[in-house]
Amino acid sequence: GGFANDQANGVAVGGGAVKFVIAKQDISGTKKWSSDTTTQFDGILTTNDSNTAKKDFAGVANTAIIAATDDSGAVYSCVNYAFPNGAKGYLPAAGELVLAQSMKSKVSAAMSAIGGTSFADDFYWSSTQASGAYGIRVYMSTGYPSHYSKAEALRVRPFTTL
C-alpha cells in the first residue's frame, strides 16, 4: 500500500550533515522578513557577501532567534505552517535555499509527484541577515543570494527538519 499525496510532508533534501524537508507549497501571499524590520539579531549570520551567505545552513537556529519577536513576518508564517506530520516549520537560511535551488529539477519532479508546487523563478526570503534593515533573499531561478530591505514582501517557503 502507498499513501495519499496529502500525507506527504514535503520533499526531502540531504547532503552530508545537511538534511531538510521542503514544504509542498509557498506560504500564501508574500511576507516581509519579520515584523521587526530594523533590529540586527544577535546569533544570526550577518553578511552582505553572497559567498558567505551561501555557507549559512542555520535556518532552525536563526528562526528560533527571530521567532522570539516576530508576530507577522516570514519566520512567523513558517513556524505556524502546518506540516502533515505536525512538524514545526522554519525559515531556511540562505545556504539551504541555495542548495534547494541547485537541485531544483529533482525537487520540482518530486513536488509534482506529491501534488506540491515547485519554487517560482522569484525571490524568497532566507533567515540570513545582511544588517538591521536588510535580510538575505535568494533568487530561485539562479540560486544567487542578495540583500534586500526587511520591510519588503517576498515569497516564503517553509522547511522542516528531516
Side-chain angles (χ1 to χ4, degrees):
F3 61 89
N5 282 343
D6 61 358
Q7 292 176 298
N9 220 32
V11 172
V13 173
V18 178
K19 297 180 180 74
F20 50 79
V21 176
I22 303 167
K24 293 188 340 184
Q25 64 271 329
D26 292 351
I27 295 292
S28 179
T30 56
K31 304 287 178 191
K32 55 188 177 176
W33 192 78
S34 101
S35 49
D36 179 345
T37 59
T38 59
T39 298
Q40 183 169 310
F41 290 86
D42 292 333
I44 297 176
L45 178 69
T46 303
T47 183
N48 272 313
D49 181 69
S50 62
N51 287 322
T52 302
K54 288 179 185 179
K55 296 174 185 162
D56 186 9
F57 289 88
V60 172
N62 294 351
T63 295
I65 292 166
I66 303 162
T69 58
D70 187 14
D71 63 6
S72 64
V75 164
Y76 177 86
S77 62
C78 288
V79 169
N80 288 285
Y81 177 82
F83 278 88
N85 72 349
K88 285 184 82 101
Y90 68 89
L91 183 62
E96 293 167 312
L97 280 171
V98 170
L99 178 60
Q101 192 282 331
S102 74
M103 301 178 173
K104 193 174 180 191
S105 60
K106 290 179 182 176
V107 169
S108 294
M111 283 295 175
S112 180
I114 64 168
T117 56
S118 301
F119 282 101
D121 286 332
D122 203 351
F123 292 98
Y124 283 77
W125 274 129
S126 81
S127 58
T128 309
Q129 67 184 352
S131 68
Y134 290 87
I136 298 292
R137 64 184 182 174
V138 175
Y139 188 45
M140 294 306 283
S141 177
T142 62
Y144 186 77
S146 58
H147 67 279
Y148 198 61
S149 170
K150 289 178 178 178
E152 297 298 325
L154 297 176
R155 290 178 182 265
V156 177
R157 178 75 62 116
F159 284 20
T160 193
T161 53
L162 185 59

